[in-house]
Amino acid sequence: MISHVFVGVTDFQRAFGFYSAIMEILGLQLKFCDADKPWAAWMASGKARPLFIIGAPYSGAAAAGNGQMIALLAPTRTAVDKAYAAALRNGGSCEGVPGLRLEYHPDYYGAYFRDADGNKLCVCCHDAVA
């Protein structure tokens, strides 16, 4: 359903460090990085799409939207915890600590945070604990 998601950032090097730490934990690989453009993209191993892309906004206007959020799928609840910790270590801010969100469904485990540009993200796992 989704080809790619583009997230605008104002400081590419800072954002690249932030997102690289999270993507590594989620098992996503870097498809490309061009600091001169600047932009970078990650993808699941062996998959051409979807891409998660960061870069400077084309218009040069503010980077973050209001009311939007991107949720990244984690393979385990431990990965949610680790991605959240990495986000905060790399300049992110808390929007909701890792935990069950029973209002969504009994096994929804997620964490919410913003990058330094104010983009809101979620990392979540939908699997039951074995």
Side-chain angles (χ1 to χ4, degrees):
M1 177 195 313
I2 294 175
S3 167
H4 60 280
V5 173
F6 185 98
V7 175
V9 299
T10 56
D11 181 330
F12 179 75
Q13 292 304 323
R14 176 188 67 201
F16 184 74
F18 176 87
Y19 285 99
S20 291
I22 294 165
M23 298 307 178
E24 181 180 345
I25 291 165
L26 299 179
L28 300 173
Q29 67 184 39
L30 185 66
K31 179 170 177 120
F32 63 80
C33 178
D34 182 351
D36 292 330
K37 186 165 175 101
W39 67 337
W42 292 264
M43 64 186 193
S45 181
K47 307 275 185 182
R49 300 273 184 272
L51 293 177
F52 184 92
I53 306 167
I54 62 166
Y58 181 76
S59 68
N66 185 20
Q68 66 191 24
M69 179 186 69
I70 298 167
L72 302 170
L73 190 59
T76 65
R77 293 179 183 189
T78 300
V80 170
D81 296 340
K82 288 180 178 181
Y84 172 81
L88 297 188
R89 256 193 332 272
N90 286 282
S93 60
C94 177
E95 286 285 322
V97 298
L100 286 170
R101 303 301 198 279
L102 300 176
E103 63 271 27
Y104 302 138
H105 67 74
D107 298 316
Y108 185 98
Y109 188 88
Y112 300 84
F113 48 88
R114 290 186 186 270
D115 70 9
D117 286 300
N119 294 300
K120 188 173 181 182
L121 299 136
C122 168
V123 174
C124 61
C125 179
H126 294 272
D127 298 338
V129 173

